[in-house]
Amino acid sequence: MNALRKITQTTLFKITSLNSFSIAIKIGIGLITSKVLAIFVGPAGMALVGNLRNFLTSLESISTLGFQSGIIKYVAENHKNKAVLQKIMATVFISLVFVALVLSSVLYFFASFWNNTILSSAFDYTLVFKILALALPWYAVSVFLLAVLNGLSHFKRVIWVNIIGNTLGLLVSLLMILQFQTLGALLAIVITPALLFFVTFYFVQKEISFLQTIRLRLYDFKIIKDLLPFSLMALVSSVLGPIVYLAIRNSVIATLGIEQAGFWESMTRISTYYMLFVSTILTVYFLPKLSMAQGNQETKSIFWQYYKSILPVFMMGLVAVYFARFFIVQILFTKEFLPVASLFFWQLIGDVFKVAFLILGYQFFAKKLTKTFIIAEVASLALLYFSNLVFMHCFGIQGVVMAQAFDNFIYLMVLCVYFRKSLF
């Protein structure tokens, strides 16, 4: 009983419990939106949604300059130094707003080009990219504000922002999809992230006089210089990654058909739901801890706390997901999507490898190992793309998830060797 009481009183348990509640809400919301998408847009529409999501991931990373992990690190390190903290906030905010406005102009005035390049559909979705242009600056600032909250170690508030944001997303998605079908689904994707600004601003303003902090005279280019390694790492991952996935999806469409691409997108969507449990707790709890860790022994302690507490629970959850796969597909989608059930085995295997290497990958950001990260990430993406071509030719749509599992396994082995001193 005493041991159980000690566990339940730890910060990690409390944060994980609240985070689990947040993820449960998001998954519940996902159940509803996925079902509505399946009914109103079908596999073909799901493939278009996947293409837009990949494009949006790259665009959002560029608009925030890939600074998110860097902001968390420097805010965590300087949260007691008010002068430095104000400089960080003013510098990053001014930079992000400038970049977001430039990108918004490019999106708005070349909306037709982006429609043809990203969606290449028989329908005209130019309006989606014009709305995205208007929403982008708000989203960029909301990411910045959320990173500030995270760096200040206000874990609970970060999670509550996600809960409120997910609920808003559900309302917007339902309204848009029911009203405009595929167009509505695409519009919901670009509008929802911008709404987070109002939630994050409310929470940040309670901690810091944000509007009084943003002053042009506080702009310090040295801070941007210090953040550039994080920018390079994030941009390589968040820009090249979605581009590779977009190329793979287009290859699936060309080789196997748009419905098969829709099935793969549906599997990816399911994976995204349960992966949220790990990715959120990593960003909210473990990244600030790794950033402040001193020496291999302290880093080793954080790694093994993760492997002993998070990984086993995740694996047990995936066993349940596998045995419930047919039920999950029918609940989330429609009978038309039942072929997705055949993709679960290799997707789940690959996700176990991914969760195992994610904590090691965060060490790149925590310790600013820029060159090593870029080399590892580019090599991994190249392996993913070319192994997909081979596996898809041999095994069809199952080959796509098999290639992901293979790439994740190789990446895990490489990181275990590289960070062996902090692991063993």
Side-chain angles (χ1 to χ4, degrees):
M1 284 297 291
N2 287 334
L4 181 62
R5 191 178 296 111
K6 285 181 180 178
I7 292 172
T8 57
Q9 288 175 350
T10 62
T11 302
L12 177 59
F13 180 84
K14 291 176 182 178
I15 297 302
T16 303
S17 299
L18 181 59
N19 182 60
S20 299
F21 173 64
S22 170
I23 300 308
I25 290 176
K26 183 152 190 172
I27 291 174
I29 289 170
L31 290 172
I32 298 169
T33 53
S34 294
K35 191 73 174 182
V36 173
L37 277 171
I39 294 169
F40 286 92
V41 308
M46 199 75 80
L48 291 180
V49 167
N51 272 11
L52 184 61
R53 283 189 187 279
N54 285 148
F55 173 70
L56 207 56
T57 301
S58 297
L59 183 67
E60 289 167 353
S61 186
I62 295 170
S63 69
T64 57
L65 296 172
F67 282 170
Q68 188 175 6
S69 296
I71 296 166
I72 294 171
K73 175 181 171 63
Y74 285 119
V75 170
E77 291 177 349
N78 298 285
H79 67 281
K80 293 181 180 178
N81 190 330
K82 187 177 179 181
V84 175
L85 187 59
Q86 285 182 331
K87 277 190 175 182
I88 292 170
M89 293 184 66
T91 302
V92 175
F93 176 82
I94 293 168
S95 301
L96 293 187
V97 169
F98 173 77
V99 171
L101 290 174
V102 171
L103 288 175
S104 292
S105 300
V106 174
L107 276 172
Y108 191 88
F109 293 110
F110 296 94
S112 296
F113 168 79
W114 296 113
N115 174 66
N116 295 332
T117 303
I118 305 303
L119 300 179
S120 57
S121 170
F123 299 96
D124 183 10
Y125 294 119
T126 303
L127 176 65
V128 173
F129 293 93
K130 290 189 175 182
I131 298 295
L132 175 57
L134 299 176
L136 189 62
W138 299 94
Y139 171 77
V141 176
S142 75
V143 170
F144 161 66
L145 294 176
L146 194 60
V148 170
L149 272 179
N150 206 342
L152 292 171
S153 296
H154 293 308
F155 305 131
K156 290 183 179 179
R157 290 186 175 178
V158 172
I159 294 171
W160 276 112
V161 167
N162 289 327
I163 291 172
I164 296 168
N166 291 334
T167 306
L168 284 173
L170 171 64
L171 297 175
V172 172
S173 296
L174 288 178
L175 179 65
M176 291 291 182
I177 295 170
L178 293 174
Q179 190 71 29
F180 304 110
Q181 285 77 50
T182 302
L183 174 61
L186 299 175
L187 285 174
I189 291 171
V190 303
I191 291 172
T192 302
L195 298 178
L196 275 178
F197 166 80
F198 302 99
V199 184
T200 51
F201 179 79
Y202 169 76
F203 282 108
V204 168
Q205 191 65 18
K206 291 181 73 173
E207 298 299 322
I208 302 170
S209 298
F210 177 69
L211 295 178
Q212 284 71 42
T213 301
I214 308 304
R215 295 288 182 269
L216 189 59
R217 59 181 172 79
L218 293 175
Y219 192 92
D220 187 351
F221 188 74
K222 184 179 180 300
I223 292 171
I224 298 298
K225 187 178 178 181
D226 290 339
L227 286 169
L228 279 179
F230 296 100
S231 180
L232 286 172
M233 287 190 282
L235 290 176
V236 166
S237 178
S238 300
V239 175
L240 286 184
I243 289 173
V244 168
Y245 276 96
L246 188 61
I248 291 171
R249 189 177 290 103
N250 286 338
S251 178
V252 172
I253 291 171
T255 307
L256 305 175
I258 194 167
E259 284 202 350
Q260 294 294 315
F263 295 147
W264 177 46
E265 173 59 27
S266 303
M267 183 69 255
T268 302
R269 193 177 181 88
I270 295 169
S271 172
T272 300
Y273 293 147
Y274 57 70
M275 285 295 292
L276 283 169
F277 171 78
V278 178
S279 60
T280 307
I281 203 69
L282 271 168
T283 304
V284 170
Y285 183 83
F286 285 98
L287 179 57
K289 293 285 185 184
L290 286 172
S291 297
M292 293 184 282
Q294 302 292 323
N296 286 333
Q297 199 58 39
E298 196 172 341
T299 301
K300 180 180 178 180
S301 174
I302 296 169
F303 281 160
W304 285 103
Q305 183 187 21
Y306 172 84
Y307 285 128
K308 290 177 181 178
S309 59
I310 304 298
L311 186 59
V313 174
F314 179 77
M315 291 175 69
M316 286 188 290
L318 288 196
V319 171
V321 167
Y322 179 75
F323 286 109
R325 63 192 185 280
F326 290 101
F327 175 73
I328 290 171
V329 171
Q330 291 190 69
I331 287 293
L332 277 173
F333 308 110
T334 62
K335 288 185 178 180
E336 189 181 5
F337 286 79
L338 277 176
V340 174
S342 66
L343 305 179
F344 270 71
F345 179 78
W346 286 107
Q347 181 71 49
L348 300 183
I349 294 293
D351 286 338
V352 169
F353 295 142
K354 185 174 183 177
V355 167
F357 76 62
L358 275 176
I359 185 73
L360 301 175
Y362 269 69
Q363 184 72 342
F364 286 124
F365 290 91
K367 304 305 178 189
K368 289 175 67 174
L369 302 171
T370 311
K371 290 182 181 178
T372 309
F373 173 81
I374 291 174
I375 292 169
E377 194 71 10
V378 171
S380 174
L381 289 171
L383 177 63
L384 176 63
Y385 178 74
F386 289 110
S387 61
N388 259 286
L389 296 181
V390 174
F391 281 61
M392 184 171 62
H393 177 75
C394 297
F395 304 102
I397 192 63
Q398 281 199 38
V400 178
V401 285
M402 291 170 71
Q404 285 179 298
F406 174 68
D407 179 59
N408 289 347
F409 173 74
I410 298 298
Y411 199 54
L412 172 61
M413 292 299 100
V414 170
L415 293 190
C416 283
V417 172
Y418 188 80
F419 291 116
R420 61 190 180 279
K421 291 181 180 178
S422 299
L423 271 173
F424 309 109

